[in-house]
Amino acid sequence: MRKWASVCFCAAIIGIKDPTAQNHLDYIEKQMLGDSMKAKITMKITTPNWSRELKVNSNLAGKNKALVFIEKPARDRGVGTLKIDQNMWNYFPRLKRTVIVSPSMLLTSWMGSDFTNDDLLNTSSLANDYDHKKSDKIKIDGKEVIVIRNTLKKNAKAVWPLIISYLDQDNCLPYKYLYYNKENELMRVLSFKDIKTFNGHKFPSYWKMFPMNEKGKYTELIYENIEYDEKFSENYFSLRTLTRN
Amino acid sequence: MTKLFYLLFFVSLTANSQVEFDYFGNLELQTRKAWNHQAGKDANQNWDQEDFYLLYGNFSGRVGVNQNSIEYNIFARYANSDLYGDDNLNNQIYNFPERIISRDLFRMVHYESTDQSRFDMLINKLYYEWETEDSRFVLGRMFINYGMGEIYNPINPFSTPQGITVLNNVAQGSDGLRFTLFPSLDHTINFYILGDKRYYDYDGRYARTLWAQGQIVLEKGWQAIYVLGEDQKRFKSGFQLSYELARGTLFAQYLRAGEPQGEIEGNSLEDYLIGYDRQLSEKWHLRVEAGYQKEDDLRDFSVFDERFLPQEYFIAFANSFQFHPLVKVTGTIIIDPEAEFSMAVLKSTYNATSNFEVDFYALGPIRKSPEKETLGQRVISTDLGLSLRYFY
């Protein structure tokens, strides 16, 4: 009965009687990204020996446009990254220097964290770049979750060949993502919690990424504020805005 | 000039203006031990080993009101070494770039020199900026930074690339006016009117720069920069093309400079660059640059003024490896195949706290035939150094 109720609840949220894996992932992208979003994020990198904290302003519009600026620490203040379609640039305000970023940089760590440029710029899309297979529900941490196996499409450009996503039955939002490399080894785990509502969009405001190959290290993302459906001007996502300050 | 900035700035204020203030900068202390080579001694560099100390910093600020802003940067540098006593060239390398103002009309420099030290304090950025819906206007001393070359970047004569130097966050200012147009999201055009009284000597004649530089984002991973204009009494034109290849970026530059105009006689110049930049793995980044710079009859290859390690042909490999999230090691080797000369630079940067970095570096020559080397190459010593860098 409980199982039936939760299935119905998720179906009701998405608005489809028997949602497919694609329906789930489309719903998540729509719910979490909206048409556009403007977020203030605190990033905390923790290891057994050191920790760092960054403040970031992230602006996203659809899947192809992103503009991210670092607010803190002072060393990197104002450093910006712009993505338009497949083109990317970094801007270093101290020298007023704009640099073209190679696509290969997407897989690198963003500011020493466990998130990559690809994660921050939302370059790849779980909903569009992967083939999906919905499996039986399982229970993890006492929570019933929907399991979706996402395999990278043949010609898609994304970092991870396989991502397994656990979606929370209660709200249809991500609960945990498991990232596997080409050798099918689990490389990192991203968990989500603290669902908040920003402008009518439900969003897990706390993300925690664990790399499997670095014991004791993890990176937290705390979404302090998100404004959805921000009306960015036509030329906001441009080299002009990137180089404004 | 400062009064003019204030006038423009305050005229632009409106009753509903919200004023934004910002300040930032960095301070760096460097100490270096250098060992001279026989090739250096043969080139009249008469010393065996020396200590070199350098303290420098940037002090920047910005005041913005609506679409108007004033930005400044004060650069101060104190260097201490016995090498300042004679006609030694090494201090020019240790201090590179020595010339912080690229196109100099307004001076704004304080300079002191003794047999053992050199102190310079200058404003290398001070400008008023006004932005409209489809344009941007800048008046004053500004940084001009474009082009992908890190070892050599011929299409930008206003900023010297600092890929193999060990100074950080040093930018060169140029005096004049910039007008930027944004015809479309994919196309930006900058028009510059600059002046330089230091082309010969500061109190002598002056050279003007009329320069157009555009940047276009093309289809399918192509991007282009074009330059055209008059600079340092020569007509110059050139371009950069870059293309996404095998998940890296392939780029090429070409600049042609005609013979000098007026009473000075000299040759025309041609500069080429080809490079490739790619992240090879999660931690390993590789850049390769190869190029040719035609020798200028007016400025021989012993002069470090504008070109670091000047030589006609070069190929350079720059690797960086992120050993640890806080430790990055970079190794660069620049090779002159004609002179059979190479220079290697190894640098390790440790991000000790959020705003504090420590660098260890080593550099030195690898030489086979000193008689083939340029003077600039012969004077390269073997150095070990330490830098402490603080950001605010």
Side-chain angles (χ1 to χ4, degrees), chain B residues 302-320:
Chain B
S302 65
V303 180
F304 292 93
D305 200 24
E306 291 190 346
R307 295 172 169 187
F308 183 72
L309 199 58
Q311 55 199 32
E312 205 164 7
Y313 294 92
F314 82 92
I315 180 163
F317 298 90
N319 284 280
S320 68

Side-chain angles (χ1 to χ4, degrees), chain A residues 50 52 73-75 77 86-87 89 94-96 100 102-105 107-108 235 240 243-245, chain B residues 22-23 25 62 71 127 131-133 136 145 182 185 223 247 249 277 279 324 351-352 355 357 391:
Chain A
W50 56 271
R52 292 284 183 279
R75 186 179 72 125
R77 184 145 53 109
Q86 290 305 311
N87 296 311
W89 299 267
R94 285 173 193 267
L95 302 177
K96 300 272 174 195
I100 296 172
S102 301
S104 53
M105 291 292 285
L107 60 91
T108 59
N235 56 7
R240 180 183 185 176
T243 58
R244 187 161 284 155
N245 291 322
Chain B
D22 196 9
Y23 66 93
R62 181 178 183 273
E71 276 197 45
Y127 63 74
E131 183 141 358
T132 70
E133 205 163 293
R136 192 181 281 166
N145 233 330
F182 304 96
L185 285 179
Q223 292 190 44
R247 294 188 68 72
T249 305
D277 183 279
Q279 189 75 27
H324 179 275
N351 178 211
N355 292 319
E357 285 180 346
F391 297 89

Side-chain angles (χ1 to χ4, degrees), chain B residues 212-225:
Chain B
Q213 175 253 325
Q215 182 165 358
I216 311 174
V217 181
L218 301 160
E219 297 283 308
K220 296 179 181 172
W222 285 91
Q223 292 190 44
I225 293 175

